[in-house]
Amino acid sequence: MKHLNKLIIVGALLVGFLTQAQDANNPWSLSFGANAVDTRVSAASSLKDQFSNYFNRKENWNAVPSLSYLSVSKYVGDNISFGVTGSVNKMTKFVNKMDANGDYSVINPGDLNYFGVDLNIKYSFMNLIGSKHFDPTANIGGGYTFLEDVSSGTMNAGLGLTYWMSDFVGISVQSNYKHSFDDARMPGVDVPSHMQHFAGITFKFGGTDTDKDGIYDNQDACPEVPGLKQFKGCPDTDGDGIVDASDACPDAAGSVAMNGCPDTDGDGVADKEDACPEVAGLKALKGCPDTDGDGTTDKADKCPNIKGPKENAGCPWPDTDGDSVLDKDDKCPTEKGTVANNGCPEISQATINALDGYAKTILFNTGKASFQKQTLPVLVSIAGILKENPTAKFTISGHTDTVGNAASNMKLSKERAAAVKNFLVTNGVAADRLTSEGFGDTQPADNNTTSKGRTNNRRVEVKYVK
């Protein structure tokens, strides 16, 4: 029963330490195998002699033919692990101190049951030596050793080596010196200082790889999506070297310059934004070409090799009569004219003179804005001249002599000018080409002191506006 109590203590300590860590990826480590106890180290009188028979297994080591130790540790960072080891053995060989002749004797102390519970702090040199397989370690710690009915605390230090056959499984050996605080070297009375050797198999575990991509979650930038090691566990679906999270086109291989998108025609516009993805074009035109450089894409340009405005589908505006006034702006597109006259021919001086002559013969009834009969053919002739020049504009001005008051004369002059305009509009001249105004007696053409002069002042003038 007392041995059972000791096993319970070992089990309790193991369970307690399962809440502690091994390496950053797999923090937990579990080792088990065989152990051997050697008391020669405390029997020798010199350090050199203590280790002279270190490997004398047959003479000095106590071992049982079964699994006899279990160790659990947890990695805490900076190559350091905390752990606990429980071990059992049977003491059948006890090395006595050197006699007067300088010899050691080995006795059976009575098949004493051995139990050990040890806590340790272990430092790994694996990263320092840059090895992927060999893992040399040093450890210090303390524990409690039970030797049949006696027990003692110990201070421990040791060295070990693990050869990792994979990321998870290794073969381990370790030797610890356990210095007893109750060392009278009397079997069955105290626990002597001794060496304890371990050989076994070590398993690392506890790492989490949620997406099963071979990269542990603590190193995986995308722990829930399978990915690649070179991208810290993030996927690159299209294999273009850009992780999906940063790839604007994750399902189509592209370039870094195109943010992961393809550019089939190499024009610097990604296919997904290129209106002409198979023909190199301009960024300003969404990747479409513009051969003539007029700002209209070739596919929308009816004249792709000749510059023209967008308003005319990329073609130049025609100038049928060659007068430098485009047909769209030319009031006389088939008749050469001048820019000043909107593409229509300028009115000749002869025509101007004819208008002036006709205007002088316009006669009104006395004091009224109504025409005398003989004036109607004159007005028709004037209308004909204006219609022959469809874009020219004219002003019609009315004037009187000084007979009568100025207000009446002003009113009459305006009415007579308006009467001429109305006649011309009625006879086919566009109203927007004509303006009328009356000036009364303010702009006399002759002297108002004579009958002839007053006759000359009572007039209507039709003037060409350039």
Side-chain angles (χ1 to χ4, degrees):
M1 182 63 72
K2 58 186 178 183
H3 293 165
L4 180 60
N5 290 337
K6 295 171 185 177
L7 288 174
I8 292 174
I9 293 173
V10 173
L13 287 171
L14 288 173
V15 172
F17 261 79
L18 283 173
T19 59
Q20 306 291 324
Q22 184 64 18
D23 66 31
N25 293 327
N26 289 284
W28 290 102
S29 174
L30 175 67
S31 299
F32 58 85
N35 81 93
V37 176
D38 180 5
T39 60
R40 179 182 173 83
V41 67
S42 60
S45 57
S46 67
L47 181 64
K48 178 181 179 182
D49 196 31
Q50 287 174 355
F51 293 96
S52 62
N53 286 324
Y54 179 85
F55 292 106
N56 194 341
R57 194 168 39 128
K58 181 177 180 182
E59 295 291 333
N60 303 336
W61 288 14
N62 296 276
V64 292
S66 64
L67 293 177
S68 57
Y69 87 90
L70 177 66
S71 179
V72 178
S73 65
K74 188 168 188 279
Y75 181 78
V76 295
D78 295 328
N79 303 312
I80 297 173
S81 301
F82 287 110
V84 60
T85 301
S87 59
V88 296
N89 211 315
K90 185 174 288 290
M91 296 290 290
T92 60
K93 298 172 184 177
F94 188 88
V95 180
N96 284 317
K97 283 184 175 294
M98 183 186 301
D99 59 20
N101 297 320
D103 296 324
Y104 297 94
S105 61
V106 180
I107 66 170
N108 185 337
D111 292 353
L112 302 178
N113 290 316
Y114 176 101
F115 296 92
V117 180
D118 300 289
L119 308 181
N120 63 77
I121 301 173
K122 183 181 291 185
Y123 185 85
S124 170
F125 296 92
M126 187 175 184
N127 291 335
L128 296 181
I129 66 174
S131 174
K132 293 183 179 181
H133 298 286
F134 290 96
D135 184 8
T137 58
N139 70 85
I140 59 173
Y144 216 77
T145 300
F146 300 86
L147 193 57
E148 201 62 45
D149 294 329
V150 298
S151 62
S152 175
T154 61
M155 181 70 73
N156 308 333
L159 299 173
L161 177 66
T162 300
Y163 178 78
W164 293 107
M165 297 180 290
S166 70
D167 289 342
F168 308 101
V169 182
I171 298 174
S172 303
V173 293
Q174 182 174 309
S175 289
N176 287 347
Y177 170 68
K178 302 176 73 171
H179 179 79
S180 174
F181 293 102
D182 184 14
D183 188 3
R185 295 196 55 76
M186 296 178 64
V189 176
D190 61 9
V191 175
S193 297
H194 58 280
M195 293 292 297
Q196 188 172 22
H197 312 296
F198 303 90
I201 298 175
T202 300
F203 296 92
K204 287 191 293 187
F205 61 96
T208 303
D209 180 13
T210 302
D211 54 20
K212 308 301 180 186
D213 59 1
I215 302 168
Y216 294 105
D217 287 1
N218 65 331
Q219 298 179 356
D220 198 328
C222 303
E224 296 183 357
V225 183
L228 305 173
K229 287 186 178 180
Q230 60 265 41
F231 298 126
K232 296 183 178 180
C234 290
D236 175 19
T237 303
D238 54 20
D240 59 4
I242 302 170
V243 295
D244 288 358
S246 302
D247 197 328
C249 302
D251 297 316
S255 64
V256 175
M258 291 290 101
N259 199 24
C261 291
D263 177 16
T264 302
D265 54 21
D267 59 4
V269 181
D271 287 358
K272 70 172 187 173
E273 298 172 350
D274 198 329
C276 304
E278 297 182 357
V279 183
L282 306 173
K283 288 184 178 180
L285 298 177
K286 294 184 178 180
C288 288
D290 176 17
T291 302
D292 55 19
D294 60 4
T296 303
T297 62
D298 287 359
K299 68 179 183 179
D301 197 332
K302 292 184 178 179
C303 304
N305 297 308
I306 304 174
K307 288 186 177 181
K310 289 182 180 180
E311 295 78 11
N312 199 38
C315 292
W317 292 109
D319 177 15
T320 303
D321 54 19
D323 58 4
S324 299
V325 180
L326 302 177
D327 286 0
K328 70 183 184 69
D329 301 316
D330 198 330
K331 301 298 183 182
C332 304
T334 59
E335 185 178 4
K336 186 175 289 188
T338 65
V339 174
N341 200 34
N342 297 315
C344 289
E346 295 280 356
I347 296 180
S348 65
Q349 188 60 45
T351 300
I352 293 173
N353 293 339
L355 282 174
D356 187 52
Y358 281 128
K360 290 179 178 179
T361 62
I362 297 174
L363 299 176
F364 297 91
N365 293 312
T366 303
K368 297 180 180 179
S370 57
F371 302 110
Q372 294 183 16
K373 286 185 178 182
Q374 63 269 36
T375 293
L376 295 179
V378 173
L379 293 171
V380 171
S381 297
I382 293 174
I385 293 173
L386 268 56
K387 285 189 283 185
E388 289 174 357
N389 298 273
T391 61
K393 294 186 177 183
F394 300 87
T395 61
I396 303 167
S397 58
H399 303 271
T400 66
D401 57 21
T402 56
V403 177
N405 63 63
S408 297
N409 288 337
M410 182 65 72
K411 180 175 179 295
L412 180 61
S413 67
K414 289 183 177 183
E415 291 175 347
R416 286 179 172 178
V420 174
K421 177 183 176 181
N422 291 338
F423 181 92
L424 295 173
V425 170
T426 302
N427 283 270
V429 180
D432 62 356
R433 296 173 55 206
L434 304 173
T435 59
S436 65
E437 187 57 82
F439 298 93
D441 57 13
T442 61
Q443 296 181 8
D446 206 343
N447 195 328
N448 279 301
T449 60
T450 65
S451 175
K452 182 179 179 182
R454 288 192 293 274
T455 299
N456 291 336
N457 287 334
R458 295 191 297 274
R459 70 194 187 280
V460 170
E461 296 177 345
V462 180
K463 298 294 185 182
Y464 170 53
V465 179
K466 291 187 177 181

